[in-house]
Protein backbone atom coordinates (compact mmCIF):
# COMPACT_ATOMS: atom_id res chain seq x y z
CA UNK A 1 0.00 0.00 0.00
CA UNK A 2 1.38 3.40 -0.93
CA UNK A 3 0.52 6.52 1.09
CA UNK A 4 1.48 10.05 0.07
CA UNK A 5 1.65 12.25 3.19
CA UNK A 6 1.22 16.00 2.68
CA UNK A 7 2.71 18.19 5.40
CA UNK A 8 4.03 21.73 5.55
CA UNK A 9 3.49 23.36 8.95
CA UNK A 10 4.99 22.79 12.41
CA UNK A 11 2.04 21.01 14.04
CA UNK A 12 1.81 18.70 11.01
CA UNK A 13 5.43 17.60 11.40
CA UNK A 14 4.68 16.64 15.01
CA UNK A 15 1.46 14.78 14.17
CA UNK A 16 2.93 12.98 11.17
CA UNK A 17 6.03 12.17 13.22
CA UNK A 18 3.90 9.87 15.37
CA UNK A 19 2.17 8.26 12.37
CA UNK A 20 5.40 7.77 10.35
CA UNK A 21 6.91 5.99 13.32
CA UNK A 22 3.90 3.67 13.42
CA UNK A 23 4.23 3.01 9.66
CA UNK A 24 7.84 1.93 10.22
CA UNK A 25 6.82 -0.27 13.16
CA UNK A 26 4.05 -1.78 11.03
CA UNK A 27 6.53 -2.61 8.25
CA UNK A 28 8.86 -4.24 10.78
CA UNK A 29 6.19 -6.35 12.41
CA UNK A 30 3.61 -7.19 9.77
CA UNK A 31 5.39 -8.59 6.69
CA UNK A 32 4.45 -9.38 3.97
CA UNK A 33 2.06 -6.40 4.27
CA UNK A 34 3.96 -3.12 3.93
CA UNK A 35 3.10 0.55 3.77
CA UNK A 36 5.28 2.70 1.56
CA UNK A 37 5.07 6.30 2.80
CA UNK A 38 6.10 9.11 0.43
CA UNK A 39 6.36 12.44 2.24
CA UNK A 40 5.66 15.73 0.47
CA UNK A 41 6.79 18.90 2.30
CA UNK A 42 4.93 21.86 0.83
CA UNK A 43 7.35 24.38 2.33
CA UNK A 44 4.70 26.39 4.21
CA UNK A 45 7.06 26.50 7.25
CA UNK A 46 10.68 26.50 6.18
CA UNK A 47 12.94 28.06 8.89
CA UNK A 48 15.14 25.35 10.35
CA UNK A 49 13.65 25.90 13.84
CA UNK A 50 10.13 25.61 12.40
CA UNK A 51 10.81 22.59 10.19
CA UNK A 52 14.18 20.71 10.06
CA UNK A 53 14.43 20.42 13.84
CA UNK A 54 11.26 18.27 13.97
CA UNK A 55 12.48 15.91 11.25
CA UNK A 56 15.77 15.49 13.16
CA UNK A 57 14.35 15.13 16.68
CA UNK A 58 11.43 12.87 15.72
CA UNK A 59 13.40 10.90 13.13
CA UNK A 60 10.80 11.64 10.46
CA UNK A 61 11.78 10.16 7.07
CA UNK A 62 13.21 12.73 4.68
CA UNK A 63 10.56 14.21 2.37
CA UNK A 64 10.73 12.77 -1.13
CA UNK A 65 9.41 16.09 -2.48
CA UNK A 66 10.19 19.62 -1.23
CA UNK A 67 7.79 22.02 -2.91
CA UNK A 68 9.22 25.21 -1.33
CA UNK A 69 5.94 27.11 -1.55
CA UNK A 70 5.74 29.88 1.07
CA UNK A 71 5.58 33.60 1.70
CA UNK A 72 2.42 33.99 -0.41
CA UNK A 73 -1.20 35.01 0.25
CA UNK A 74 -3.78 32.27 0.85
CA UNK A 75 -4.93 32.09 -2.79
CA UNK A 76 -1.50 31.93 -4.40
CA UNK A 77 -0.16 29.55 -1.75
CA UNK A 78 -3.06 27.11 -1.97
CA UNK A 79 -3.16 27.37 -5.78
CA UNK A 80 0.55 26.70 -6.25
CA UNK A 81 0.39 23.79 -3.82
CA UNK A 82 -2.59 22.32 -5.63
CA UNK A 83 -0.74 22.41 -8.94
CA UNK A 84 2.48 20.97 -7.53
CA UNK A 85 0.78 18.23 -5.48
CA UNK A 86 -1.26 17.13 -8.50
CA UNK A 87 2.01 16.53 -10.39
CA UNK A 88 3.37 14.47 -7.50
CA UNK A 89 0.20 12.37 -7.30
CA UNK A 90 0.19 11.69 -11.05
CA UNK A 91 3.79 10.51 -10.71
CA UNK A 92 3.40 8.45 -7.52
CA UNK A 93 -0.10 6.99 -8.09
CA UNK A 94 -0.69 6.32 -4.38
CA UNK A 95 -3.55 4.33 -2.83
CA UNK A 96 -4.03 7.03 -0.21
CA UNK A 97 -3.28 10.69 0.33
CA UNK A 98 -2.97 11.53 4.00
CA UNK A 99 -3.57 15.11 5.17
CA UNK A 100 -3.40 16.59 8.66
CA UNK A 101 -5.35 19.31 10.42
CA UNK A 102 -6.42 22.55 8.83
CA UNK A 103 -3.71 24.42 6.92
CA UNK A 104 -3.51 25.47 3.27
CA UNK A 105 -1.32 22.37 2.71
CA UNK A 106 -4.18 20.20 4.05
CA UNK A 107 -6.74 21.71 1.69
CA UNK A 108 -4.44 21.67 -1.35
CA UNK A 109 -3.55 18.01 -0.74
CA UNK A 110 -7.19 17.00 -0.33
CA UNK A 111 -8.37 18.92 -3.40
CA UNK A 112 -5.61 17.56 -5.63
CA UNK A 113 -6.35 13.98 -4.53
CA UNK A 114 -10.12 14.27 -4.86
CA UNK A 115 -9.95 15.43 -8.49
CA UNK A 116 -7.72 12.44 -9.26
CA UNK A 117 -10.08 10.06 -7.41
CA UNK A 118 -7.41 9.05 -4.93
CA UNK A 119 -8.62 8.06 -1.48
CA UNK A 120 -8.09 10.69 1.20
CA UNK A 121 -7.47 10.15 4.90
CA UNK A 122 -8.01 13.29 6.97
CA UNK A 123 -6.30 13.14 10.35
CA UNK A 124 -7.79 15.45 12.99
CA UNK A 125 -11.10 15.56 11.14
CA UNK A 126 -14.43 16.88 12.42
CA UNK A 127 -13.07 19.76 14.48
CA UNK A 128 -14.99 23.01 14.31
CA UNK A 129 -14.53 26.46 15.81
CA UNK A 130 -17.78 27.67 14.17
CA UNK A 131 -15.88 30.82 13.19
CA UNK A 132 -15.84 31.00 9.41
CA UNK A 133 -13.49 34.00 9.50
CA UNK A 134 -10.68 31.64 10.49
CA UNK A 135 -8.82 30.28 7.43
CA UNK A 136 -8.35 27.04 9.41
CA UNK A 137 -12.14 26.57 9.68
CA UNK A 138 -12.59 26.93 5.92
CA UNK A 139 -9.74 24.50 5.26
CA UNK A 140 -11.00 21.84 7.65
CA UNK A 141 -14.64 21.95 6.50
CA UNK A 142 -13.71 21.66 2.82
CA UNK A 143 -11.15 18.92 3.51
CA UNK A 144 -13.64 16.86 5.51
CA UNK A 145 -16.19 17.05 2.70
CA UNK A 146 -13.90 15.57 0.01
CA UNK A 147 -12.24 12.92 2.22
CA UNK A 148 -12.75 9.16 2.14
CA UNK A 149 -12.14 8.48 5.83
CA UNK A 150 -12.38 11.05 8.60
CA UNK A 151 -10.12 10.10 11.48
CA UNK A 152 -11.59 12.00 14.45
CA UNK A 153 -9.63 12.59 17.65
CA UNK A 154 -12.59 13.25 19.97
CA UNK A 155 -16.27 12.51 20.59
CA UNK A 156 -17.13 16.14 19.87
CA UNK A 157 -15.45 15.89 16.44
CA UNK A 158 -17.64 12.87 15.60
CA UNK A 159 -20.69 14.75 16.90
CA UNK A 160 -19.91 17.77 14.70
CA UNK A 161 -19.85 15.56 11.62
CA UNK A 162 -23.10 13.85 12.59
CA UNK A 163 -24.73 17.27 13.10
CA UNK A 164 -23.63 18.24 9.58
CA UNK A 165 -25.29 15.15 8.09
CA UNK A 166 -22.14 13.13 7.38
CA UNK A 167 -23.94 9.90 8.30
CA UNK A 168 -25.86 10.27 5.03
CA UNK A 169 -22.71 10.69 2.94
CA UNK A 170 -20.43 8.03 1.53
CA UNK A 171 -17.62 9.05 3.89
CA UNK A 172 -16.36 6.83 6.72
CA UNK A 173 -16.05 8.29 10.21
CA UNK A 174 -13.57 6.69 12.62
CA UNK A 175 -12.82 7.79 16.17
CA UNK A 176 -9.26 6.93 17.00
CA UNK A 177 -7.91 9.34 19.63
CA UNK A 178 -5.34 12.05 19.09
CA UNK A 179 -2.00 11.51 17.34
CA UNK A 180 -0.51 14.37 19.40
CA UNK A 181 -1.11 12.23 22.48
CA UNK A 182 0.84 9.45 20.73
CA UNK A 183 3.68 11.88 19.96
CA UNK A 184 3.90 13.18 23.52
CA UNK A 185 4.05 9.65 24.92
CA UNK A 186 6.61 8.55 22.31
CA UNK A 187 8.94 11.49 22.95
CA UNK A 188 8.32 12.53 26.56
CA UNK A 189 11.40 10.64 27.79
CA UNK A 190 13.59 12.74 25.44
CA UNK A 191 12.50 16.10 26.93
CA UNK A 192 15.47 18.47 27.01
CA UNK A 193 15.97 22.03 28.29
CA UNK A 194 16.22 24.75 25.59
CA UNK A 195 19.60 26.43 24.98
CA UNK A 196 18.39 29.64 26.66
CA UNK A 197 18.35 29.68 30.47
CA UNK A 198 14.84 28.98 31.77
CA UNK A 199 13.61 30.11 35.21
CA UNK A 200 12.70 27.42 37.76
CA UNK A 201 8.99 28.25 37.87
CA UNK A 202 7.29 29.90 34.94
CA UNK A 203 4.20 30.37 32.80
CA UNK A 204 4.59 28.97 29.27
CA UNK A 205 3.04 31.04 26.54
CA UNK A 206 2.76 30.98 22.74
CA UNK A 207 0.97 33.41 20.39
CA UNK A 208 0.77 32.96 16.64
CA UNK A 209 -2.82 32.77 15.41
CA UNK A 210 -3.74 35.24 12.65
CA UNK A 211 -6.78 36.55 14.55
CA UNK A 212 -4.34 37.78 17.25
CA UNK A 213 -1.23 38.69 15.27
CA UNK A 214 -3.00 40.53 12.45
CA UNK A 215 -5.12 42.64 14.79
CA UNK A 216 -3.01 45.34 16.50
CA UNK A 217 -5.56 45.89 19.30
CA UNK A 218 -5.63 42.18 20.21
CA UNK A 219 -1.87 41.76 19.96
CA UNK A 220 -1.27 44.87 22.10
CA UNK A 221 -3.72 43.65 24.76
CA UNK A 222 -2.06 40.22 24.90
CA UNK A 223 1.43 41.71 25.25
CA UNK A 224 0.23 44.21 27.84
CA UNK A 225 -1.02 41.23 29.88
CA UNK A 226 2.18 39.20 29.34
CA UNK A 227 4.34 42.20 30.33
CA UNK A 228 2.22 42.75 33.46
CA UNK A 229 2.26 39.08 34.51
CA UNK A 230 6.00 38.80 33.91
CA UNK A 231 6.74 41.55 36.46
CA UNK A 232 5.90 39.07 39.25
CA UNK A 233 5.85 35.64 37.60
CA UNK A 234 8.43 34.52 35.02
CA UNK A 235 6.87 34.03 31.57
CA UNK A 236 8.65 32.04 28.84
CA UNK A 237 7.57 32.78 25.28
CA UNK A 238 9.06 30.85 22.32
CA UNK A 239 8.31 33.49 19.73
CA UNK A 240 6.77 32.45 16.40
CA UNK A 241 8.40 34.27 13.43
CA UNK A 242 5.04 35.62 12.29
CA UNK A 243 4.35 37.14 15.73
CA UNK A 244 7.87 38.57 15.85
CA UNK A 245 7.32 40.43 12.58
CA UNK A 246 3.93 41.82 13.71
CA UNK A 247 5.41 42.99 17.03
CA UNK A 248 7.96 44.97 15.01
CA UNK A 249 5.33 46.24 12.58
CA UNK A 250 3.01 47.53 15.32
CA UNK A 251 5.94 48.69 17.48
CA UNK A 252 4.72 46.68 20.49
CA UNK A 253 6.82 46.87 23.64
CA UNK A 254 8.20 43.63 25.09
CA UNK A 255 8.68 43.93 28.85
CA UNK A 256 12.24 43.44 30.10
CA UNK A 257 11.22 40.51 32.28
CA UNK A 258 9.38 38.62 29.54
CA UNK A 259 11.62 35.70 28.48
CA UNK A 260 11.21 35.75 24.69
CA UNK A 261 13.20 32.90 23.16
CA UNK A 262 13.52 31.49 19.63
CA UNK A 263 10.98 28.85 18.61
CA UNK A 264 12.10 25.59 20.22
CA UNK A 265 12.17 22.01 18.95
CA UNK A 266 9.66 19.43 20.07
CA UNK A 267 11.76 17.86 22.83
CA UNK A 268 12.49 21.32 24.26
CA UNK A 269 8.78 22.08 24.15
CA UNK A 270 8.09 18.88 26.07
CA UNK A 271 10.59 20.07 28.71
CA UNK A 272 8.80 23.43 28.96
CA UNK A 273 5.42 21.72 29.24
CA UNK A 274 6.66 19.40 31.97
CA UNK A 275 8.19 22.22 34.00
CA UNK A 276 5.77 25.13 33.63
CA UNK A 277 3.06 26.02 36.15
CA UNK A 278 0.43 27.19 33.64
CA UNK A 279 -0.04 27.48 29.87
CA UNK A 280 -1.29 30.66 28.21
CA UNK A 281 -1.71 30.17 24.47
CA UNK A 282 -3.68 30.62 21.28
CA UNK A 283 -2.27 27.38 19.84
CA UNK A 284 -4.58 24.46 19.15
CA UNK A 285 -1.96 21.81 19.86
CA UNK A 286 -0.64 23.40 23.02
CA UNK A 287 -4.09 23.43 24.66
CA UNK A 288 -4.11 19.63 24.46
CA UNK A 289 -0.47 19.26 25.43
CA UNK A 290 -1.15 21.34 28.56
CA UNK A 291 -3.74 18.70 29.46
CA UNK A 292 -1.38 15.80 28.65
CA UNK A 293 1.12 17.30 31.10
CA UNK A 294 -1.57 18.13 33.68
CA UNK A 295 -1.31 21.90 33.40
CA UNK A 296 -4.23 24.28 33.46
CA UNK A 297 -4.57 26.37 30.29
CA UNK A 298 -5.84 29.87 29.59
CA UNK A 299 -6.65 30.17 25.89
CA UNK A 300 -6.11 33.49 24.14
CA UNK A 301 -9.05 32.97 21.79
CA UNK A 302 -12.80 33.53 21.73
CA UNK A 303 -13.59 29.91 20.87
CA UNK A 304 -11.81 26.57 20.71
CA UNK A 305 -12.15 23.33 18.79
CA UNK A 306 -11.11 21.42 21.94
CA UNK A 307 -14.39 21.94 23.78
CA UNK A 308 -13.95 18.93 26.07
CA UNK A 309 -11.13 20.81 27.82
CA UNK A 310 -13.48 23.69 28.61
CA UNK A 311 -16.42 21.45 29.52
CA UNK A 312 -14.31 19.51 32.02
CA UNK A 313 -12.70 22.56 33.60
CA UNK A 314 -9.12 22.19 32.29
CA UNK A 315 -9.13 25.25 30.08
CA UNK A 316 -10.69 28.70 30.04
CA UNK A 317 -11.20 31.04 27.09
CA UNK A 318 -9.82 34.49 27.87
CA UNK A 319 -9.83 36.04 24.39
CA UNK A 320 -7.47 38.95 23.84
CA UNK A 321 -8.84 41.32 26.47
CA UNK A 322 -6.36 42.62 29.06
CA UNK A 323 -8.82 42.66 32.00
CA UNK A 324 -10.21 39.20 31.23
CA UNK A 325 -6.73 37.69 30.90
CA UNK A 326 -5.54 39.30 34.15
CA UNK A 327 -8.62 38.28 36.11
CA UNK A 328 -8.37 34.67 34.90
CA UNK A 329 -4.64 34.60 35.63
CA UNK A 330 -5.12 35.96 39.15
CA UNK A 331 -7.93 33.48 39.90
CA UNK A 332 -6.34 30.43 38.37
CA UNK A 333 -4.44 29.12 41.41
CA UNK A 334 -7.68 28.41 43.15
CA UNK A 335 -8.74 25.92 40.45
CA UNK A 336 -7.94 22.27 40.98
CA UNK A 337 -8.43 19.65 38.32
CA UNK A 338 -8.26 15.90 38.08
CA UNK A 339 -6.46 15.30 34.79
CA UNK A 340 -7.16 11.58 34.64
CA UNK A 341 -10.04 11.65 32.12
CA UNK A 342 -9.47 9.81 28.85
CA UNK A 343 -10.20 12.66 26.44
CA UNK A 344 -7.64 11.94 23.70
CA UNK A 345 -7.03 8.19 23.78
CA UNK A 346 -4.15 6.21 25.19
CA UNK A 347 -1.44 6.80 22.61
CA UNK A 348 -2.72 4.22 20.10
CA UNK A 349 -4.27 6.69 17.63
CA UNK A 350 -1.68 6.20 14.89
CA UNK A 351 -1.97 2.41 15.11
CA UNK A 352 -5.76 2.70 14.80
CA UNK A 353 -5.34 4.99 11.79
CA UNK A 354 -3.22 2.34 10.06
CA UNK A 355 -5.91 -0.27 10.76
CA UNK A 356 -8.42 2.17 9.24
CA UNK A 357 -6.33 2.55 6.07
CA UNK A 358 -6.25 -1.24 5.71
CA UNK A 359 -9.97 -1.55 6.41
CA UNK A 360 -11.09 1.04 3.84
CA UNK A 361 -8.47 0.32 1.14
N1 LIG B 1 5.77 23.83 19.35
C1 LIG B 1 7.13 23.59 19.32
N2 LIG B 1 7.98 24.65 19.50
C2 LIG B 1 7.53 25.93 19.70
C3 LIG B 1 6.13 26.15 19.74
C4 LIG B 1 5.28 25.08 19.54
O1 LIG B 1 7.58 22.44 19.17
O2 LIG B 1 8.36 26.83 19.84
C5 LIG B 1 4.87 22.69 19.15
C6 LIG B 1 3.83 22.52 20.22
O3 LIG B 1 4.34 21.78 21.30
C7 LIG B 1 2.74 21.76 19.48
C8 LIG B 1 2.83 22.35 18.09
O4 LIG B 1 4.12 22.93 17.98
O5 LIG B 1 3.02 20.38 19.41
C9 LIG B 1 1.75 23.38 17.95
O6 LIG B 1 1.94 24.08 16.81
P1 LIG B 1 1.35 25.54 16.60
O7 LIG B 1 1.05 26.17 17.91
O8 LIG B 1 2.29 26.23 15.69
O9 LIG B 1 0.03 25.26 15.75
P2 LIG B 1 -1.45 24.89 16.14
O10 LIG B 1 -1.42 23.71 17.06
O11 LIG B 1 -2.09 26.09 16.74
O12 LIG B 1 -2.08 24.53 14.83
Amino acid sequence: MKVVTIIGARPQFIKSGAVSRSFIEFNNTRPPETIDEVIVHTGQHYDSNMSDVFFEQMDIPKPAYQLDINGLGHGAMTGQMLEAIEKVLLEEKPDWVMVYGDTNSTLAGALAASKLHIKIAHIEAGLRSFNMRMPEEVNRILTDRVSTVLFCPTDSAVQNLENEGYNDLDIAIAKNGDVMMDASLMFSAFAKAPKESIPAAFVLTTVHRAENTDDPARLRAIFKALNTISKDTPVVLPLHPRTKSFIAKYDIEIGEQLHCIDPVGYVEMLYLLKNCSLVLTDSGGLQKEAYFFEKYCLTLRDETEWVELIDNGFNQLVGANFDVIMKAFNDVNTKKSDFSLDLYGNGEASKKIIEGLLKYK
Side-chain angles (χ1 to χ4, degrees):
M1 188 163 79
K2 189 193 253 190
V3 178
V4 167
T5 296
I6 312 285
I7 48 178
R10 176 168 68 187
Q12 293 169 330
F13 306 139
I14 293 166
K15 291 165 199 168
S16 73
V19 178
S20 291
R21 194 170 247 242
S22 296
F23 280 149
I24 292 167
E25 198 182 301
F26 177 90
N27 290 342
N28 290 337
T29 52
R30 291 266 290 266
E33 277 185 299
T34 53
I35 297 173
D36 175 18
E37 185 186 30
V38 176
I39 298 181
V40 178
H41 187 323
T42 61
Q44 198 170 341
H45 283 165
Y46 53 90
D47 291 345
S48 75
N49 59 12
M50 295 292 288
S51 172
D52 298 353
V53 66
F54 299 99
F55 284 83
E56 284 153 24
Q57 291 186 347
M58 301 180 80
D59 217 5
I60 305 171
K62 214 173 137 40
Y65 296 87
Q66 290 274 6
L67 305 183
D68 287 327
I69 299 167
N70 48 59
L72 299 164
H74 284 287
M77 193 195 293
T78 314
Q80 289 189 17
M81 286 176 184
L82 178 59
E83 191 177 356
I85 293 169
E86 184 176 62
K87 283 197 189 114
V88 172
L89 299 182
L90 286 169
E91 174 85 21
E92 293 289 339
K93 300 185 178 46
D95 301 293
W96 285 98
V97 166
M98 189 168 252
V99 293
Y100 289 84
D102 53 28
T103 69
N104 291 337
S105 305
T106 316
L107 177 60
L111 269 182
S114 75
K115 299 282 175 75
L116 295 173
H117 307 144
I118 299 169
K119 288 200 280 285
I120 302 163
H122 184 200
I123 317 295
E124 226 180 51
L127 298 178
R128 298 290 183 263
S129 67
F130 302 100
N131 176 358
M132 286 301 286
R133 291 180 58 84
M134 285 176 73
E136 294 91 341
E137 184 78 350
V138 175
N139 291 339
R140 55 171 87 101
I141 288 175
L142 297 177
T143 300
D144 281 345
R145 185 61 189 81
V146 296
S147 290
T148 313
V149 187
L150 299 172
F151 289 106
C152 299
T154 58
D155 290 330
S156 65
V158 174
Q159 188 62 54
N160 289 335
L161 294 171
E162 287 176 0
N163 294 347
E164 290 175 22
Y166 272 75
N167 283 342
D168 298 329
L169 301 176
D170 190 19
I171 299 176
I173 298 175
K175 188 192 153 201
N176 48 267
D178 197 304
V179 293
M180 289 191 81
M181 177 77 177
D182 298 18
S184 72
L185 290 172
M186 286 171 186
F187 292 94
S188 173
F190 303 102
K192 188 181 116 198
K195 62 181 190 304
E196 293 91 349
S197 90
I198 301 295
F202 61 93
V203 171
L204 173 61
T205 187
T206 72
V207 183
H208 78 287
R209 206 155 283 285
E211 72 212 45
N212 287 331
T213 57
D214 299 15
D215 180 335
R218 288 180 73 96
L219 199 59
R220 264 182 229 294
I222 289 171
F223 274 87
K224 187 176 167 196
L226 296 178
N227 289 341
T228 307
I229 294 168
S230 66
K231 285 186 183 145
D232 297 315
T233 311
V235 178
V236 174
L237 168 59
L239 195 56
H240 194 287
R242 154 190 197 87
T243 314
K244 190 173 183 181
S245 65
F246 277 101
I247 287 171
K249 182 174 169 192
Y250 303 143
D251 203 14
I252 291 175
E253 191 201 328
I254 303 263
E256 260 174 46
Q257 280 149 285
L258 183 57
H259 293 256
C260 277
I261 61 175
D262 287 335
V264 295
Y266 186 53
V267 296
E268 288 84 4
M269 199 61 181
L270 294 176
Y271 173 93
L272 295 174
L273 280 157
K274 280 184 178 183
N275 290 286
C276 70
S277 54
L278 175 80
V279 174
L280 196 56
T281 190
D282 62 8
S283 159
L286 218 62
Q287 291 175 60
K288 287 177 290 172
E289 288 168 333
Y291 177 72
F292 302 158
F293 290 91
E294 307 199 345
K295 305 296 159 76
Y296 194 77
C297 181
L298 300 179
T299 297
L300 299 160
R301 291 183 52 196
D302 300 325
E303 72 277 307
T304 180
E305 300 77 24
W306 307 105
V307 288
E308 53 287 324
L309 293 173
I310 308 283
D311 294 347
N312 290 293
F314 303 116
N315 188 337
Q316 186 183 339
L317 297 174
V318 294
N321 175 300
F322 174 77
D323 294 327
V324 178
I325 299 171
M326 291 311 299
K327 174 154 185 1
F329 178 77
N330 290 325
D331 289 351
V332 82
N333 288 339
T334 60
K335 295 201 171 73
K336 295 248 183 301
S337 295
D338 168 12
F339 288 86
S340 64
L341 295 180
D342 175 4
L343 299 179
Y344 299 105
N346 54 5
E348 303 272 302
S350 33
K351 287 199 184 107
K352 290 185 186 163
I353 287 169
I354 293 178
E355 294 308 326
L357 295 181
L358 295 169
K359 180 174 167 191
Y360 296 105
K361 77 175 177 202

